[in-house]
Amino acid sequence: MKNETENKKAGDLTPVSEIISSCPLFKDVRECETLSGETAITETITPEAEVVVPESESPSGNTPEEEPAVTENATPEVRDDIPGTPDYNWKKYGYTRITEDTFCGGPHPGDYEKDGVLHCGYCHKPKYILHTLFCKTKAYPIDCDCKRECRNRIAEESRRRQEREHAELCRCHALPHEYMRHWDFAHDDGGSPRITSYARRYAEHFAEMKRRGEGLFLFGVTGTGKTYAAVQIVNALCDQGYRCLVTSFLDIVNTLLSMNRENRQGYIDDICRHDLIVFDNYGTEPSTYFSDMNVLKIINTCYDRHVPMIVTTSLSPEILNKGTNVTRNAALLQLKKRCYCLTLANIQRRNRQAKERAARFRDLLGIEKEPEAEASAPLF
C-alpha cells in the first residue's frame, strides 16, 4: 500500500487504454465495443511509425478494384469540399458524415496513443490530456484540428441559416403581396435593363444613401416597371437585413381613418422607423384636408429622420407641378429635396406585356385568328 502511494506521488501516468476502459467519459464507447465485439485502440505508435491510412484510399492513390457493397444503413459519403470549410478535405481524412456527433463518444477509428496521450489519427493533434490532481489522473477532452474545423463549419452554417430566416421575415413584413418575393435581380425579366442597372447600383450604395436619407422619385405611365424596380431594391436590401416597407399613401390614409385619434401618431411613427419606405402610386390618394395633412406629416417625419423614400407615380412632373393645393405642393417640395427624379419612358416594355397578355388569352380560349365580324359583334 505504501509503494502504491509513493508511485502516485511520483506522478506516474496511467496508460490511456486503462483510462478509457475505466473513465465514465467513454461509457458509450465501451457499450458500442461490447455490442460489436471490437476492442478499443490500445496500440502505442511511436513517432517514427507510419500514419494510418483509411481503407478508402491506397498509398498510390488508386481506387481498389472491388468496391464494398452498399448496405441499407451505410452513411452517405460527403463531398471533398463542404461549404463553409474551404481547403479542408473531410473525405480525405476518413469522415463520411460531418456533424457534432462525429467527434462524440470517445476515440475515432484511426486514433492512436503517443507519449501517453490520445491523438487524432488524421490531423495528428492530441484529443485528450491527462492531468494529475490530488494523486488522481483524469483525462480531459480538448479539440483537435478536425473537431475545431467541424465546430467552425457548424457555426458558419447556423449563422447563414439565421441570416436567411431573418431575410425571409424582413421580406414578409416589407412586401404586401407574395408574388413580389420573386421580383429580384436574380430573376430579372430583362424588360428594362437600364432601370435595372440604376436600381442595382442604388441597392449596392444603400449604406451611403441611408446615411444621407436620399431616395428615388420614379415617374412613368403604367407598365414601365416603376414598382418592379422599387421592389427589386427592397428584396436586395432584405437579403442584407434591412427593414423595409412597400405601401401607398392611399392605404395609409384608409388605415388612419379606421383608427382612434390617440393611436394615429403611433402608427405614423412605426412607419417612419423603417430603413427604406416605398410609397407606390403617389397622387392616387383622395384630395382632402385629412389626407393631405397626414401625407405631409409622414413625408416631413421621414425627412427629419433621414429615412430614404422611393416614390412611384403615374402622373407626369408637369401635372404635379401645376397643382394649386398648398399642402400637396409642400409635400412634393420635400420629396424633391431628398429624392432623385427619374422618368421611365419604356413603351416597348408596355407593348411587350400587352402582346404577351393577348397571346396568353388566345391560347387559353383556343383562338387561332381573331375574326373581325365576331370581334365587332355585340356580346348580348
Side-chain angles (χ1 to χ4, degrees), residues 166-167 169-171 173-174 203-208 210 233-245 274-276:
H166 180 68
L169 290 176
C170 293
R171 192 171 286 106
H173 171 76
E204 293 174 354
H205 298 82
F206 180 74
E208 182 180 357
K210 183 177 183 300
I233 297 174
V234 171
N235 279 315
L237 296 181
C238 287
D239 293 335
Q240 301 178 23
Y242 289 104
R243 193 165 178 264
C244 307
L245 179 65
H274 292 82
D275 298 320
L276 175 70

Side-chain angles (χ1 to χ4, degrees), residues 70 85 87 90 159 175 197 226 256 289:
V70 180
T85 55
D87 302 331
W90 291 97
R159 184 185 65 82
L175 303 178
S197 64
K226 305 181 302 298
L256 291 174
Y289 177 79

Side-chain angles (χ1 to χ4, degrees), residues 38-49:
E38 298 177 356
T39 57
I41 300 173
T42 57
E43 295 182 1
T44 303
I45 299 179
T46 59
E48 293 77 9

Side-chain angles (χ1 to χ4, degrees), residues 3-283:
N3 295 333
E4 294 179 358
T5 306
E6 291 178 356
N7 292 335
K8 290 182 179 180
K9 290 182 178 180
D12 294 341
L13 299 179
T14 307
V16 177
S17 58
E18 297 182 6
I19 294 175
I20 293 177
S21 61
S22 60
C23 183
L25 182 66
F26 305 101
K27 180 180 177 181
D28 298 336
V29 179
R30 294 198 304 271
E31 293 178 357
C32 295
E33 292 173 354
T34 304
L35 295 175
S36 61
E38 298 177 356
T39 57
I41 300 173
T42 57
E43 295 182 1
T44 303
I45 299 179
T46 59
E48 293 77 9
E50 296 182 356
V51 179
V52 178
V53 180
E55 296 179 358
S56 59
E57 293 185 355
S58 60
S60 61
N62 298 328
T63 56
E65 296 180 358
E66 297 182 359
E67 297 182 355
V70 180
T71 59
E72 296 181 357
N73 298 328
T75 56
E77 293 186 356
V78 297
R79 301 193 308 272
D80 293 344
D81 297 327
I82 301 177
T85 55
D87 302 331
Y88 202 89
N89 195 329
W90 291 97
K91 185 177 180 181
K92 176 182 177 182
Y93 295 143
Y95 295 102
T96 56
R97 180 177 297 174
I98 308 302
T99 61
E100 289 186 348
D101 298 336
T102 304
F103 303 96
C104 298
H108 188 274
D111 294 352
Y112 59 92
E113 181 182 346
K114 177 181 177 182
D115 298 333
V117 178
L118 187 67
H119 283 63
C120 178
Y122 305 105
C123 66
H124 308 291
K125 295 299 178 64
K127 301 180 70 173
Y128 296 90
I129 59 174
L130 302 178
H131 185 66
T132 303
L133 183 64
F134 300 113
C135 302
K136 293 183 179 180
T137 303
K138 295 184 179 180
Y140 296 91
I142 58 176
D143 292 346
C144 63
D145 290 347
C146 298
K147 188 172 183 179
R148 191 179 300 109
E149 191 71 19
C150 177
R151 291 185 185 276
N152 293 338
R153 184 186 67 84
I154 294 174
E156 180 67 17
E157 290 182 354
S158 177
R159 184 185 65 82
R160 292 181 179 179
R161 183 174 62 254
Q162 291 177 0
E163 289 180 355
R164 290 193 299 268
E165 293 176 355
H166 180 68
E168 288 300 323
L169 290 176
C170 293
R171 192 171 286 106
C172 293
H173 171 76
L175 303 178
H177 306 290
E178 186 176 358
Y179 62 85
M180 290 184 175
R181 300 179 185 179
H182 303 285
W183 293 2
D184 52 11
F185 297 118
H187 302 88
D188 184 65
D189 58 358
S192 303
R194 183 173 60 89
I195 302 302
T196 302
S197 64
Y198 296 160
R200 189 190 300 272
R201 291 182 62 84
Y202 181 86
E204 293 174 354
H205 298 82
F206 180 74
E208 182 180 357
M209 297 296 179
K210 183 177 183 300
R211 180 172 56 85
R212 298 179 180 179
E214 297 175 345
L216 298 174
F217 205 148
L218 304 180
F219 296 88
V221 296
T222 303
T224 54
K226 305 181 302 298
T227 306
Y228 188 83
V231 173
Q232 280 184 321
I233 297 174
V234 171
N235 279 315
L237 296 181
C238 287
D239 293 335
Q240 301 178 23
Y242 289 104
R243 193 165 178 264
C244 307
L245 179 65
V246 178
T247 182
S248 64
F249 287 117
L250 179 61
D251 294 338
I252 294 175
V253 170
N254 291 335
T255 304
L256 291 174
L257 287 172
S258 62
M259 299 177 64
N260 297 329
R261 182 178 299 178
E262 295 79 9
N263 300 330
R264 290 173 180 172
Q265 186 60 41
Y267 175 71
I268 294 176
D269 293 337
D270 291 339
I271 293 176
C272 299
R273 288 192 182 100
H274 292 82
D275 298 320
L276 175 70
I277 306 176
V278 176
F279 296 111
D280 196 19
N281 292 326
Y282 174 73

